[in-house]
Amino acid sequence: MRIAVPKEIKNHEYRVGLTPSSVRELLVHGHEVWVQAGAGTAIGLDDAAYEAAGARLATDAAEAFARGEMIVKVKEPQPAEIAMLREGQLLYTYLHLAPDPAQTAGLVKSGAVCVAYETVTGPGGGLPLLAPMSEVAGRMAVQAGATHLEISKGGMGMLLGGVPGVPPAHVVILGAGVVGTHALQMAVGLGARVTVLDKNVDRLRHLDLVFGNRITTQYSTAHGVEEAVLGADLVIGGVLIPGAAAPKLVTRAMVSRMRRGAVVVDVAIDQGGCFETSHATTHAEPTYVVDGVVHYCVANMPGAVARTSTFALNNATIGHALALADKGWRAALRDDVHLQAGLNVAFGQVTCEPVAQQLGYAHTPVASVLA
């Protein structure tokens, strides 16, 4: 199969779909790989490294999209990229379609076959292709939150861990999944006072066993969320419903009653965000203020540490990339129900049920597409 990797064009996005080592793996399996010139230069993966691994260089995105039978990316395709997709072409990347009707409409119109990293499931549960970026984003959320608590960034001027004689900041984490757990590790490590809320009591029990009295675990209810948020200096939103839009756990009314100079970091923004006051921002302009509360809602947070993120992502995605290339997408999906869960759009049909429900499309079962 001919596989192509275009350079990412989203604002301040420097990750790349395949590393040179991933390129080599695909070549060992007999495939042909094209990488757009300059795709990995910003993170130290120059064109010479790709050529040494056996890749061919495409001069621009148009050539990459034209040559590839399978397109491997990181972020959702931008409008200019969607325009270059063709019917039957395989797209393998993050999509996050539920809060993005324009992208969904474009992919439906293109007729491309779109496999989304974030809805591929794992044998032991969970979302293994989303997990590495959730790990990065969870850790970054505390880092970003701590920075924006500084007065120069619009915050209240609080040091996350405090100092002897001065109490630490109170960090509230909504969701005890991958994002929440990694945010928790960072916040505890920096000496913050931490409360984590989730509806999964087994998950809360596990965190309590690991962290003991260094954290407070709380079952998530509307009242519990409100009480915690109003007493927080930093709130991190890490809730996820696979494939669907994130629930709005924090209302505008709650935000209006939060402490002036408090910070919210909405890691769920890729799926629409879990704060009513959230809207996507970029690394160029990462924050805005609502009712005195600083909102950090960057939609591609891991892009800020693009080298780490690229290698972590490739570790998770290369196995399925090889299966799709070796067998073709139909056979690969038939053979693996977990990869099958990643198919979101194919030949103008929406095959991911939460996306179809959220955006008002008729849902086409994956089995009917494979048949």
Side-chain angles (χ1 to χ4, degrees), residues 136-148:
V136 171
R139 295 180 180 222
M140 282 192 66
V142 174
Q143 185 173 296
T147 297
H148 286 89

Side-chain angles (χ1 to χ4, degrees), residues 141-142 160 169-175 180 183-184 187 192-197 216 218 224-238 250 258 263-265 275:
V142 174
L160 204 65
H170 183 201
V171 178
V172 169
I173 300 172
L174 305 177
L184 179 62
R193 179 165 67 93
V194 182
T195 300
V196 58
L197 296 92
T216 299
Q218 184 175 337
V225 169
E226 181 174 15
E227 187 176 58
V229 165
L230 296 184
D233 303 303
L234 168 60
V235 184
I236 296 171
V250 180
M258 287 178 67
V263 176
V264 300
V265 179
F275 298 79

Side-chain angles (χ1 to χ4, degrees), residues 22 92 94 117 120 127-133 309-321:
S22 293
Y92 182 51
Y94 285 118
Y117 296 158
V120 174
L127 303 167
L129 275 60
L130 184 61
M133 297 303 93
S309 298
T310 291
F311 283 94
L313 180 60
N314 270 244
N315 290 342
T317 58
I318 186 59
H320 289 308

Side-chain angles (χ1 to χ4, degrees), residues 181-262:
T181 299
H182 282 262
L184 179 62
Q185 290 175 342
M186 292 289 285
V188 168
L190 289 171
R193 179 165 67 93
V194 182
T195 300
V196 58
L197 296 92
D198 201 287
K199 288 186 176 294
N200 186 333
V201 177
D202 288 336
R203 187 67 194 147
L204 295 177
R205 186 176 291 118
H206 171 75
L207 291 176
D208 182 73
L209 287 171
V210 172
F211 292 96
N213 60 9
R214 290 183 293 170
I215 67 169
T216 299
T217 58
Q218 184 175 337
Y219 184 79
S220 182
T221 63
H223 175 75
V225 169
E226 181 174 15
E227 187 176 58
V229 165
L230 296 184
D233 303 303
L234 168 60
V235 184
I236 296 171
V239 297
L240 174 71
I241 300 173
K248 304 296 184 185
L249 299 183
V250 180
T251 66
R252 185 181 184 94
M254 291 182 202
V255 171
S256 71
R257 296 165 58 203
M258 287 178 67
R259 296 173 179 172
R260 301 308 86 178

